[in-house]
Amino acid sequence: MSQLDPHSSRDGLLYGLGAYGLWGLLPLYFKFVADVAPLEVLAHRALWSFVMLALLTGWLGRWPELRREVRKPKLLALLALTSLLIAANWLTFIYSVLTRQLLQSSLGYFANPLVSVLLGVVFLRERLRPWQLVSIALAASGVVVLAAMVGQVPWIALTLAFTFAFYGLLRKIIPVDGMASLAVETCVLAPFALAYLGYLAGTEQVTGQGWPAIGRLMLSGPVTTIPLLFFGAAARRLRLSTLGILQYVTPSGQFLLAVLAFGEPFSTPQLVSFACIWTAIAIYTADSYRAVRRRRVE
């Protein structure tokens, strides 16, 4: 595997921190629309993300480029697959909310980086240095602690972890920038979202009624699109293993919000897990920094 350009890696790191940092704050938005049914929020996310990206693509004059790309059957098939993966991830998360299995959902987001690192090693032949292996083992220990708290086969967590890890893998290897690929993905999902919202309107089951509610739901477009654009840019610039370890920023941010802002209890197992995972991040980051400095000297 060829070495990544240092400037590209630096930009990728900033994009990655931006994406995962914003995702870490996402619970604040869901609190803002808590009076709307979760599946309805999901449909609005897909629809308004498509609208935002369509407008942005037109404003940048990139529709001709996008039309050329989608005429490639192999590329279109890959983008359709990423659309299905992200939709499955969102739907599984919504199911965990509806059935009050948020602990499994949290476990999935903590396990996801480990799966990303595994995919990077298996499919992209990325090699891990000894200290990186130590950091992965520590992070895995933190995930095991959370899994023990669940007390059953965490299929929701596994689904969340594997769908987004494979989504990240495909977004890394697809030869299209983040905005173009995301535009195609939301184009695939938008008709289904519109059909569902039409069904809710026809059966008078809409919970987000009136312009104030619609205005809040329209915000789901930028709330969803901006971090996904950052993620797509990061995925093209970073090793999948590095992208994987950065992903701990999201569940850690959500964890801190739950404890400090929403008043949820902070148990001893959660404290142990949190300590293991952030120690792993510190080790991985320090090792990566030393490796960059060593390459510059050489």
Side-chain angles (χ1 to χ4, degrees), residues 63-145:
W63 278 113
E65 173 192 347
L66 189 58
R67 283 194 293 269
R68 285 195 303 270
E69 295 294 346
V70 299
R71 288 173 183 168
K72 301 173 183 177
K74 183 178 179 181
L75 177 61
L76 189 57
L78 286 173
L79 289 173
L81 181 55
T82 58
S83 301
L84 292 175
L85 286 170
I86 197 64
N89 186 274
W90 286 355
L91 285 173
T92 303
F93 176 74
I94 292 297
Y95 176 80
S96 73
V97 173
L98 289 173
T99 57
R100 298 184 179 183
Q101 300 186 66
L102 292 178
L103 183 57
Q104 276 212 54
S105 176
S106 175
L107 173 60
Y109 289 123
F110 274 115
N112 176 231
L114 300 177
V115 180
S116 290
V117 172
L118 175 64
L119 295 184
V121 172
V122 173
F123 291 101
L124 303 180
R125 298 294 186 265
E126 295 182 352
R127 296 182 178 180
L128 298 177
R129 294 181 292 273
W131 279 110
Q132 290 177 323
L133 290 171
V134 171
S135 71
I136 298 303
L138 265 176
S141 300
V143 171
V144 168
V145 170

Side-chain angles (χ1 to χ4, degrees), residues 252-280:
S252 296
Q254 294 177 355
F255 185 78
L256 288 173
L257 271 180
V259 174
L260 301 178
F262 303 152
E264 295 185 14
F266 189 83
S267 66
T268 299
Q270 288 171 323
L271 176 61
V272 172
S273 175
F274 192 78
C276 287
I277 288 168
W278 273 97
T279 302

Side-chain angles (χ1 to χ4, degrees), residues 18-31 223 249-257 262:
Y20 294 123
L22 288 173
W23 276 327
L25 297 174
L26 196 57
L28 294 174
Y29 175 74
F30 286 120
K31 285 284 186 180
V223 165
V249 171
T250 294
S252 296
Q254 294 177 355
F255 185 78
L256 288 173
L257 271 180
F262 303 152

Side-chain angles (χ1 to χ4, degrees), residues 8 10 20 32 94 102 141 179 248:
S8 178
R10 180 196 61 196
Y20 294 123
F32 189 48
I94 292 297
L102 292 178
S141 300
M179 191 181 78
Y248 284 119

